[in-house]
Amino acid sequence: MHRILRGVRSIELEALRIGRQSFHLLYRDRIFYLSSPKLEVAGMLYDRGNYMQMQMPLLRLVEKGISLSGELYYRYRTGDIDFEGDYDVPDLAGKLRVRKTGERIEFRITSMRTSSLRRLLSLLRMSPEAEEWLKKRITAHAYRLEYLEGIGRFDRQSGEFTPEISSLQGVLHLQKPTIRFHDGLAPIRAESARVILQNASLYFLLEHPRYGRHSIEGSSAALYGLDDPKRLMLGLRIHYRGRLDWSMLEILHAYNVPVHLGQRSGTVNARVDLDVPLSGGRIKLRGSADFSAGVLEYGKRRLRIGGGKILFSSKTVILRHLLLDEAKFKAVLDGRVDLRDRQARLRITLRKLKWQGVGGALVMQNLTLPLRIRWSAKRWEAELPTLKTTVVRKANGMIRAELKDLALWHRWLRGLYALAEGGHLQIESSDGRRIDLSGTLLWKGSFLYDQKGFVTSLPFHAKFDGSASLVEALGDRILYRQKEGVLKLHDINIDARRLLALVKSLSAYGSKSVSKMLTVVAERSVIRYGLYVLSADRYRLLLHGEDLDFDAALGKDHLTLQKHGSRLVVDARRIDDRMLHPLIHFKGLVGGRYTLHAEGDLKQKRFHGEVIIEGGVVKNFKAMNDLMALFNTVPALVAFSDPGFSRVGFELRRGRIVFSLKQETLTLNSILLQGRSSTIAGKGTIRLDNGKLDLDLAVRTARELGKTLGQIPVVGYILFGKDKSLTVGVHVDGTLEHPRVHTNPLGEALLYPLELLKRTFQTPAQLASPVQNSLPPSRQKKVKSPDGNISKSRAGMF
């Protein structure tokens, strides 16, 4: 070419063969024209010494539809070529710069705005799979190639230019792009996108991207491995700030990432990186989520949180200071979940946990517990190792919880639940509605007892189905049916002192009574309080809130008790010794019938009532024995050693005691005991807290004294009646355990007992003048009257 340009002005060749192609060549006065079926070139040639310059208004590659215009520089010695100009292809036009050095070709292309992506993709020479994915998934209103540069090789024989895809770099601008990255998901849309080509990968930098109605500002996408179908992979970098609803979780679900945790309220600052192999293979996931305070949703369940952070990948999930902030449950959750090994090791820092049940609660605070979770396709298991507690959920929905040592839970139990001081418990449910409980409760403070002592180990089984429950304990000895509201006891006894202590502690705790009616039916069961026992063949107790009705029977004997509000009424109708002796822990009343009525106010601790005695004998009663001993030891009373006060005891025909109780003081307002030959009347007080006695009694005998009358000295504590009866005054003090009985001067203290005797017998009496100096020295001052004798008006009652 150098020689032709120097020595030839004009030349035309009709069939110039270069390689396998045939060309038509025309050169005249520096005008150069070259054509073939595939190529057409026209321009001005200039010889510049070492190189040739060609001003080329036309270079057309016919088959490819490419037209070029510009300037070309050709170096004679090396064969290097430089070209810079314009190009034009259907739907695409722009600038082109090419440099050929040996077999190496460097190029840089830019483009004007176009509506076709296909022409741009044809320049890249990527794999068919990558090109097809881009054509199918990427659309925009307009495209503009900012630049595309790289290197390639030119094959002289085939005339083909092959760019090296790894060397390609470029920037493509998309206006209002739409990226359909998954068939089952809505596309990502943006105002614009800047697509960067580098390292055989495309990086999509999106401006104001949105997924559905959600802004995903800061999100991007990439397509890796454009030159190798096996390495072709979609990379999604999703950044989201807002409420995490189910439409956002659809992205993870579409790529088989099972996240079912959404937000009812609050916001999340989340970043999710997904690497999705388009030729098939495992999806790689990584990201983080910073939660604000709000409410999380899991299915139909909701959980209030105070914030926290979650880091996750395809292999692990890491929880960092996730604050659970329910009203009754506040805790901080930290730990790691291994998704491949399907296990989690977590740490729960309980700030507050309060679960309130009927009659009790679970209260835990300021406690750190390890939590282990394991799962498989068939089961899910959670374990609290320090509490020896496991929960298992099987694929069929069966849930089974086992608490191997309830003693480890005891410190956090309140109310009724605190009664479980040890033992073990199993809980099973197939649907969360029907629940079976079984196990053994250790209860050191049990109020249940049998012949062997207190029953502190209670094996039980219970069933709950949401509307009713059934509880069985100690075999068939305890049975509770919620639907009927009936608790049955059989061959098991109740210690009332422990029961009342339990009720008191529960009242202090604040437990509320069950509002529904509860009926307790017992057979072969007794109730005791300390040494006092209510012996019964059967009894029935009806509870309604804080009100109760109690009815006990032993043979034909009945005892009833009613408590409505603070009012208490007790009635026992003509019961005999079998029910009375254990009830009052006193066997001194034998062979009679006894009726008791008492009523009062529990809050004010005020009660009143009466006891009626029909027949029987009083014996083995310390105060009565001391009274008999007094009669035998005081010379003036020896005549009282009568069968009415014999070794058998004091034989009763009838008796009546009227009493009242205020706080700790029992006042005996009226005591009247009528025996075969004697009658005792009186009144006084007994302190229940210390057993202190203060009783004044008048004892009257109706026997015919006969000759012995002359032997009895007339003293200040003896009255003689007209019917030859004799009345003596007695004062009892000391305590119930150690009573002291001594004679009492017939003064003001005995006015009521004497009046009671008068009303009882309605007989006039005569008074023999007492001998003042015959009184015991210790009592003489107390019986002085102004005239030195007993008042006549007082003596006139007899």
Side-chain angles (χ1 to χ4, degrees):
M1 289 298 296
H2 176 61
R3 292 175 180 178
I4 291 173
L5 292 176
R6 283 176 174 251
V8 178
R9 285 190 174 186
S10 174
I11 185 173
E12 182 175 0
L13 301 174
E14 291 291 339
L16 174 65
R17 295 191 64 82
I18 302 175
R20 297 179 181 179
Q21 297 187 36
S22 178
F23 293 90
H24 175 225
L25 174 64
L26 174 63
Y27 175 72
R28 181 178 298 162
D29 296 329
R30 297 182 180 176
I31 297 174
F32 177 80
Y33 179 78
L34 179 68
S35 68
S36 75
K38 295 182 178 180
L39 175 68
E40 183 179 9
V41 180
M44 298 294 292
L45 294 179
Y46 300 95
D47 182 17
R48 303 299 187 189
N50 296 329
Y51 66 91
M52 177 186 67
Q53 178 185 3
M54 182 178 182
Q55 294 178 350
M56 186 172 57
L58 173 64
L59 188 155
R60 189 163 64 91
L61 302 176
V62 179
E63 289 185 348
K64 296 186 179 296
I66 299 175
S67 296
L68 301 175
S69 63
E71 289 189 353
L72 183 144
Y73 299 88
Y74 176 75
R75 288 174 174 78
Y76 300 125
R77 290 186 179 180
T78 62
D80 295 344
I81 298 175
D82 287 325
F83 173 81
E84 185 171 354
D86 300 324
Y87 71 91
D88 190 358
V89 297
D91 302 323
L92 187 64
K95 299 289 186 180
L96 172 65
R97 188 174 67 195
V98 178
R99 172 171 288 181
K100 173 183 175 298
T101 304
E103 299 297 325
R104 175 190 174 101
I105 298 177
E106 300 178 12
F107 66 93
R108 179 182 176 90
I109 304 174
T110 64
S111 80
M112 305 295 288
R113 177 174 172 175
T114 180
S115 60
S116 175
L117 180 64
R118 291 181 177 271
R119 285 293 182 183
L120 293 172
L121 295 180
S122 65
L123 300 175
L124 301 181
R125 293 297 180 91
M126 62 185 68
S127 67
E129 291 81 1
E131 185 173 351
E132 180 63 25
W133 193 93
L134 288 169
K135 290 178 180 179
K136 182 180 179 182
R137 303 290 182 179
I138 306 295
T139 59
H141 287 193
Y143 310 88
R144 184 178 66 84
L145 182 63
E146 181 177 325
Y147 74 91
L148 174 64
E149 62 184 19
I151 61 175
R153 300 288 175 178
F154 181 74
D155 188 342
R156 289 178 179 273
Q157 293 182 354
S158 63
E160 293 290 335
F161 169 72
T162 304
E164 295 179 5
I165 188 67
S166 61
S167 70
L168 295 180
Q169 296 186 26
V171 175
L172 175 66
H173 291 277
L174 280 63
Q175 182 180 358
K176 296 187 179 300
T178 298
I179 304 176
R180 295 177 175 83
F181 56 93
H182 192 282
D183 290 333
L185 296 174
I188 292 177
R189 303 180 188 275
E191 291 293 324
S192 63
R194 190 165 181 258
V195 184
I196 298 175
L197 173 62
Q198 189 175 16
N199 299 324
S201 301
L202 289 174
Y203 300 91
F204 297 83
L205 305 182
L206 307 175
E207 182 178 359
H208 306 312
R210 301 187 69 84
Y211 175 75
R213 58 188 179 87
H214 296 289
S215 171
I216 52 173
E217 193 71 37
S219 299
S220 62
L223 191 63
Y224 306 106
L226 298 176
D227 57 340
D228 186 353
K230 294 181 179 180
R231 296 192 302 112
L232 186 62
M233 181 169 61
L234 172 65
L236 290 176
R237 308 293 179 256
I238 299 174
H239 194 183
Y240 175 66
R241 296 180 182 90
R243 185 172 68 88
L244 184 61
D245 61 11
W246 299 111
S247 63
M248 291 301 300
L249 292 175
E250 288 176 352
I251 299 176
L252 299 178
H253 297 167
Y255 292 106
N256 299 319
V257 179
V259 177
H260 303 285
L261 192 66
Q263 280 182 303
R264 180 76 175 181
S265 64
T267 59
V268 63
N269 185 356
R271 178 182 60 84
V272 180
D273 296 346
L274 282 167
D275 291 334
V276 185
L278 298 181
S279 59
R282 179 175 294 177
I283 297 173
K284 293 183 179 180
L285 167 72
R286 59 191 175 278
S288 65
D290 284 299
F291 289 92
S292 71
V295 177
L296 299 181
E297 285 184 320
Y298 182 79
K300 296 182 179 180
R301 299 177 179 87
R302 296 179 181 177
L303 178 66
R304 183 175 297 277
I305 65 170
K309 187 171 186 177
I310 300 177
L311 306 176
F312 52 89
S313 69
S314 302
K315 299 179 181 179
T316 60
V317 175
I318 298 175
L319 306 178
R320 289 184 179 174
H321 208 71
L322 183 62
L323 176 60
L324 310 181
D325 193 24
E326 287 290 326
K328 298 180 180 180
F329 177 67
K330 299 181 184 298
V332 178
L333 199 59
D334 295 276
R336 181 186 184 92
V337 182
D338 193 322
L339 300 177
R340 287 193 175 179
D341 293 339
R342 296 188 174 185
Q343 63 178 0
R345 292 182 177 270
L346 306 177
R347 183 178 70 255
I348 302 177
T349 302
L350 280 174
R351 295 181 179 177
K352 173 186 176 182
L353 169 61
K354 185 173 183 180
W355 179 81
Q356 183 71 50
V358 178
L362 172 66
V363 180
M364 306 175 80
Q365 59 185 5
N366 301 325
L367 174 69
T368 299
L369 294 172
L371 172 63
R372 299 173 185 171
I373 301 175
R374 293 178 289 271
W375 71 92
S376 65
K378 295 184 178 181
R379 57 182 279 153
W380 177 93
E381 178 180 341
E383 178 185 6
L384 292 170
T386 56
L387 297 179
K388 295 185 179 179
T389 298
T390 57
V391 179
V392 176
R393 187 180 188 278
K394 297 183 179 179
N396 59 5
M398 175 66 71
I399 298 176
R400 185 174 184 269
E402 183 175 7
L403 288 70
K404 296 181 180 179
D405 189 354
L406 290 175
L408 299 175
W409 290 86
H410 181 259
R411 58 185 289 197
W412 300 296
L413 300 177
R414 303 292 184 270
L416 282 174
Y417 304 153
L419 304 181
E421 298 168 288
H424 60 89
L425 176 65
Q426 291 182 356
I427 306 171
E428 290 187 356
S429 176
S430 58
D431 55 5
R433 182 177 176 272
R434 291 180 290 272
I435 303 174
D436 284 0
L437 290 87
S438 61
T440 299
L441 302 181
L442 299 183
W443 181 14
K444 296 179 182 178
S446 169
F447 59 79
L448 302 172
Y449 71 96
D450 56 16
Q451 295 83 353
K452 298 179 181 179
F454 284 105
V455 179
T456 58
S457 180
L458 297 172
F460 78 98
H461 181 257
K463 294 182 178 180
F464 301 91
D465 64 0
S467 60
S469 60
L470 174 66
V471 181
E472 296 178 338
L474 297 174
D476 60 349
R477 299 164 73 183
I478 301 176
L479 177 63
Y480 172 67
R481 296 182 182 274
Q482 181 186 10
K483 189 174 184 179
E484 294 86 359
V486 175
L487 173 64
K488 293 184 178 181
L489 304 178
H490 176 71
D491 199 24
I492 191 72
N493 307 318
I494 295 177
D495 186 283
R497 175 175 289 174
R498 286 196 174 188
L499 177 59
L500 292 175
L502 171 63
V503 172
K504 184 177 181 180
S505 66
L506 293 178
S507 299
Y509 164 73
S511 296
K512 296 182 179 180
S513 300
V514 180
S515 60
K516 289 186 175 181
M517 181 75 74
L518 173 65
T519 302
V520 181
V521 179
E523 295 182 352
R524 295 175 60 185
S525 174
V526 301
I527 301 177
R528 75 182 183 190
Y529 184 90
L531 300 175
Y532 307 97
V533 180
L534 173 61
S535 182
D537 297 326
R538 61 197 179 278
Y539 62 81
R540 180 183 294 268
L541 174 65
L542 277 74
L543 295 171
H544 193 288
E546 296 184 356
D547 296 340
L548 64 87
D549 293 275
F550 179 79
D551 183 9
L554 180 63
K556 296 182 179 181
D557 296 350
H558 282 82
L559 180 142
T560 63
L561 181 148
Q562 291 181 326
K563 175 188 172 297
H564 294 170
S566 61
R567 179 174 175 78
L568 178 68
V569 179
V570 181
D571 281 297
R573 301 293 182 183
R574 303 191 75 245
I575 62 177
D576 64 11
D577 301 346
R578 287 195 308 158
M579 181 174 280
L580 180 69
H581 288 173
L583 184 62
I584 64 175
H585 188 58
F586 175 62
K587 297 182 179 180
L589 295 173
V590 180
R593 286 281 179 176
Y594 315 96
T595 299
L596 168 67
H597 173 79
E599 61 181 272
D601 192 289
L602 288 169
K603 290 184 177 179
Q604 299 179 2
K605 292 186 177 180
R606 290 176 176 268
F607 298 91
H608 64 274
E610 66 176 353
V611 179
I612 297 175
I613 304 171
E614 302 176 45
V617 177
V618 180
K619 66 177 183 178
N620 298 326
F621 181 36
K622 185 170 178 57
M624 186 65 70
N625 293 339
D626 291 349
L627 181 62
M628 294 175 62
L630 176 69
F631 291 164
N632 288 325
T633 56
V634 178
L637 302 177
V638 173
F640 275 82
S641 295
D642 175 82
F645 286 92
S646 66
R647 293 181 179 179
V648 176
F650 181 58
E651 298 181 11
L652 288 173
R653 292 181 179 176
R654 66 185 62 86
R656 182 172 181 264
I657 300 174
V658 179
F659 64 89
S660 62
L661 176 65
K662 181 179 179 181
Q663 302 297 328
E664 299 296 330
T665 301
L666 174 64
T667 300
L668 302 177
N669 304 98
S670 173
I671 303 172
L672 181 61
L673 302 176
Q674 291 182 262
R676 181 179 59 81
S677 59
S678 300
T679 299
I680 299 175
K683 67 176 183 177
T685 61
I686 302 175
R687 290 287 301 181
L688 300 182
D689 51 355
N690 54 23
K692 187 177 180 180
L693 300 173
D694 185 10
L695 301 175
D696 290 298
L697 304 175
V699 182
R700 178 184 184 278
T701 180
R703 66 169 291 179
E704 297 264 343
L705 297 178
K707 297 179 180 180
T708 61
L709 182 61
Q711 302 173 0
I712 301 177
V714 179
V715 293
Y717 48 82
I718 298 178
L719 292 177
F720 293 97
K722 184 177 180 181
D723 58 352
K724 298 183 180 182
S725 65
L726 182 147
T727 302
V728 61
V730 176
H731 180 77
V732 182
D733 57 18
T735 65
L736 287 170
E737 295 294 329
H738 303 286
R740 297 194 301 268
V741 181
H742 44 76
T743 56
N744 190 20
L746 297 173
E748 294 293 331
L750 289 178
L751 284 178
Y752 177 78
L754 293 175
E755 178 64 23
L756 184 60
L757 289 174
K758 174 184 176 182
R759 292 200 305 266
T760 303
F761 295 100
Q762 291 293 314
T763 57
Q766 295 179 348
L767 175 67
S769 299
V771 180
Q772 180 71 27
N773 58 9
S774 64
L775 284 171
S778 60
R779 306 287 288 184
Q780 286 181 7
K781 294 183 180 180
K782 295 184 179 180
V783 297
K784 284 185 178 180
S785 63
D787 57 357
N789 297 315
I790 299 297
S791 131
K792 292 183 180 180
S793 62
R794 196 176 307 149
M797 293 187 293
F798 292 86

